[in-house]
Amino acid sequence: MKTKMKEIQAKIESDPKLQEAVEKIKPKKSIWGILGIITFFFLPELITYIWQDTLIDWAHVHSMTEATSVLRMLYGELEEMFISGVSWVNISLGMLLLLWMWRSK
C-alpha cells in the first residue's frame, strides 16, 4: 500500500499539467498580489478585531427589526459570526499564501 501511494505521489509531482495549473493559481509577486491577499484575508479580520462590539450591536439590532424572517435569521447568523471573533483560519491561510507567493522555485 505504501509503495502504491508513493507511485501515485510521484506521478502527481511529475505531471506537467498539474504543475502548470499550480503556477496559474499561485499569486503573482507584485503589489497587486500582496494587496489582494491583504484585502481578502487580513483586512476583514482587522476590522472585526477593532470594531467587534459595534458590529455585534449592529447585527443584533437588525436581527430584531427586519421585516422578513429570512433577513432576521441572516442577521442573527451574522451576529453569531461576529461574536466568535477573529478567524485564525483566515489569517493562517493568508500567511500561507504570502509564504507561497515568496517561495522561490
Side-chain angles (χ1 to χ4, degrees):
M1 185 62 146
K2 286 185 181 181
T3 57
K4 187 173 183 178
M5 290 300 289
K6 286 182 182 181
E7 289 173 9
I8 292 172
Q9 182 179 0
K11 282 183 182 179
I12 289 173
E13 289 174 355
S14 64
D15 186 14
K17 288 183 181 179
L18 179 66
Q19 297 300 325
E20 182 182 332
V22 168
E23 283 302 314
K24 283 184 179 179
I25 65 170
K26 184 177 181 181
K28 304 295 181 230
K29 289 183 187 176
S30 69
I31 189 69
W32 297 113
I34 295 169
L35 286 176
I37 291 172
I38 289 172
T39 300
F40 290 111
F41 291 98
F42 295 109
L43 190 61
E45 304 308 325
L46 180 65
I47 290 169
T48 301
Y49 181 75
I50 293 172
W51 291 293
Q52 182 176 10
D53 295 332
T54 306
L55 292 169
I56 292 170
D57 292 340
W58 175 81
H60 180 72
V61 166
H62 282 283
S63 69
M64 296 294 160
T65 59
E66 284 298 322
T68 62
S69 62
V70 173
L71 284 176
R72 286 193 302 269
M73 180 194 68
L74 289 174
Y75 279 109
E77 293 294 321
L78 189 61
E79 180 183 3
E80 289 179 21
M81 186 178 73
F82 288 138
I83 288 172
S84 66
V86 175
S87 170
W88 295 106
V89 172
N90 205 20
I91 292 173
S92 300
L93 188 59
M95 290 297 292
L96 288 173
L97 281 171
L98 284 174
L99 288 173
W100 184 35
M101 181 187 345
W102 291 104
R103 190 189 100 216
S104 61
K105 201 165 187 186

